[in-house]
Amino acid sequence: EPEVTQTPSHQVTQMGQEVILRCVPISNHLYFYWYRQILGQKVEFLVSFYNNEISEKSEIFDDQFSVERPDGSNFTLKIRSTKLEDSAMYFCATQGTPMNTEAFFGQGTRLTVV
Amino acid sequence: GENVEQHPSTLSVQEGDSAVIKCTYSDSASNYFPWYKQELGKGPQLIIDIRSNVGEKKDQRIAVTLNKTAKHFSLHITETQPEDSAVYFCASHGSGNTGKLIFGQGTTLQVKP
């Protein structure tokens, strides 16, 4: 069964440091997403990405965040100057088409900012 | 703004009983409603979805109903088993065509053996 792979599974970083979260999408998928889940809360949309550009972003996704697909395979989320409140699970999701089809989620990266 | 409300937040049932989780959504243009199951330490996994052109869909012990007029949809699990214990999220597509999902708050289902 195809799957979305995320690395690392757990990242601990000091406040103010930069982190890069990585995702390997399902091979024939073209639509990529990042979501965030603060402990015990709902899953929240951060950003959608298609054709090498952001197609939509939420209010959470401010200048501290960026995404790219540098080598045509990995899809990355970079968080600059991390804050304590960035601590959360970050999920990558991919879809073959943007509407009315299943979004496949990775297992997540747990980010802990200390 | 776009919003999905989910109830209850926790649900405890005896093995073999049925469980029902309800969601309402705000965007009348939404036409795709997936349900995800999240086990501890894992990412959400799709268990069933429904599109707005149907009112009900069933897959073995799981069924989903949709009322577009009232803007609510429900998940029904029959003959619950301990392995059904997990957090369940409803979702709908947000406005626009980017495919983003708006999630409900989640329901922690506990099935007691």
Side-chain angles (χ1 to χ4, degrees):
Chain A
E1 185 174 314
E3 62 177 13
V4 176
T5 305
Q6 289 185 242
T7 55
S9 57
H10 191 190
Q11 174 89 46
V12 181
T13 188
Q14 291 215 323
M15 193 167 53
Q17 295 298 304
E18 174 182 288
V19 295
I20 297 176
L21 312 183
R22 291 182 169 80
C23 168
V24 178
I26 293 171
S27 62
N28 61 344
H29 283 187
L30 302 175
Y31 297 84
F32 312 126
Y33 308 83
W34 284 101
Y35 290 84
R36 179 183 81 175
Q37 186 180 31
I38 294 171
L39 187 63
Q41 298 186 21
K42 69 164 74 176
V43 178
E44 301 174 288
F45 168 76
L46 292 179
V47 67
S48 59
F49 188 85
Y50 169 71
N51 199 26
N52 281 321
E53 60 182 26
I54 290 173
S55 48
E56 186 173 2
K57 58 184 180 179
S58 71
E59 292 177 353
I60 303 168
F61 194 90
D62 59 22
D63 292 343
Q64 182 194 8
F65 295 88
S66 63
V67 290
E68 64 176 357
R69 200 172 179 216
D71 56 8
S73 60
N74 289 298
F75 176 51
T76 63
L77 174 68
K78 181 188 291 185
I79 310 175
R80 288 181 286 274
S81 189
T82 49
K83 300 178 285 210
L84 294 176
E85 53 265 39
D86 294 328
S87 296
M89 282 289 284
Y90 288 82
F91 293 107
C92 172
T94 74
Q95 292 180 220
T97 63
M99 303 300 287
N100 300 342
T101 59
E102 179 179 356
F104 289 81
F105 282 78
Q107 80 279 20
T109 293
R110 178 170 299 284
L111 175 65
T112 304
V113 182
V114 296
Chain B
E2 302 164 314
N3 193 36
V4 175
E5 294 289 333
Q6 182 173 347
H7 300 280
S9 56
T10 59
L11 180 58
S12 182
V13 299
Q14 287 296 135
E15 182 177 1
D17 288 350
S18 295
V20 180
I21 303 170
K22 298 183 178 182
C23 289
T24 60
Y25 60 97
S26 60
D27 187 354
S28 56
S30 296
N31 55 16
Y32 176 67
F33 307 92
W35 285 88
Y36 284 85
K37 177 182 181 182
Q38 186 179 28
E39 297 175 329
L40 199 61
K42 297 184 179 180
Q45 284 204 305
L46 182 77
I47 55 170
I48 195 167
D49 57 14
I50 191 167
R51 293 167 178 77
S52 59
N53 57 343
V54 297
E56 184 173 358
K57 183 177 177 180
K58 190 173 181 181
D59 182 3
Q60 299 182 348
R61 296 187 296 109
I62 295 172
V64 58
T65 59
L66 170 65
N67 183 328
K68 281 221 73 177
T69 304
K71 290 193 284 187
H72 65 70
F73 55 114
S74 301
L75 177 71
H76 304 252
I77 307 174
T78 58
E79 301 171 31
T80 53
Q81 301 165 3
E83 51 265 39
D84 294 330
S85 297
V87 180
Y88 291 81
F89 290 96
C90 62
S92 71
H93 266 152
S95 59
N97 295 320
T98 62
K100 74 176 183 187
L101 292 172
I102 307 298
F103 283 86
Q105 296 91 331
T107 296
T108 301
L109 173 64
Q110 182 186 28
V111 180
K112 298 177 185 175

